[in-house]
Amino acid sequence: GKLAGTIAGVDGRIHHLRGLPSATSRGLGGLLVLWSDRLTCTLAHEVLVVSESLRRDALEKRVCRPSKLRVMGAGSGQGVDADTRFNPSHYSDQRNVQRSLLRVPPNATVVGYVGRFTLDKGLGLIHEAWQSLRTVHPTLHLLLVGSMDDRRPLPEDLMRAFTGDPR
């Protein structure tokens, strides 16, 4: 899109950077993704990032010039007031129903992941951490929410390890 806009002479090309795919890509593919990130930012007049930490990462990896980067608002890509919107006291009935459906005890601690099911999102590391945590914290539960990434699906053995674990 940025290349087409540049060729067409579009003024005010803005790129919204919500993450750096190159941060989890390796090998030749990782270099191509990094090159793509850099090209996109080069062709944009302004690059909006969703957090100060993403701004720092983009600068550290030399994805974009500092003069083009601007953090959106106070750093939230969604503008959600988490203290109000996600206050557990507002959702106690739904929480109890969901815990019952998922066979999670009422007082168990739940660690969650929401995203695509792909190794690029760190699910291999989550699995390693879970193997350690689950033995040390017997009331801990892991909840994975998302869909399989058709382009780069999780290996079947890893998916079976997650789905076969009762917690």
Side-chain angles (χ1 to χ4, degrees), residues 64-87:
C64 190
R65 291 196 326 257
S67 61
K68 287 188 177 187
L69 287 169
R70 186 166 55 100
V71 177
M72 294 176 54
S76 169
Q78 306 301 330
V80 174
D81 179 355
D83 291 333
T84 303
R85 177 84 187 264
F86 299 109
N87 185 331

Side-chain angles (χ1 to χ4, degrees), residues 10 35 43 50 59 76-77 106 117 126 132 134 139-140 146-147 153 161 163:
V10 173
W35 178 82
L43 298 176
V50 296
L59 289 172
S76 169
F117 294 165
I126 289 174
S132 298
R134 73 179 316 285
T139 62
L140 189 64
S147 60
T163 58

Side-chain angles (χ1 to χ4, degrees), residues 42 83 85 93 99 106 123 125 155 159-160 165:
T42 298
D83 291 333
R85 177 84 187 264
D93 291 340
R99 280 178 175 258
L123 283 166
L125 293 173
M159 197 63 196
R160 274 195 307 274
D165 190 316

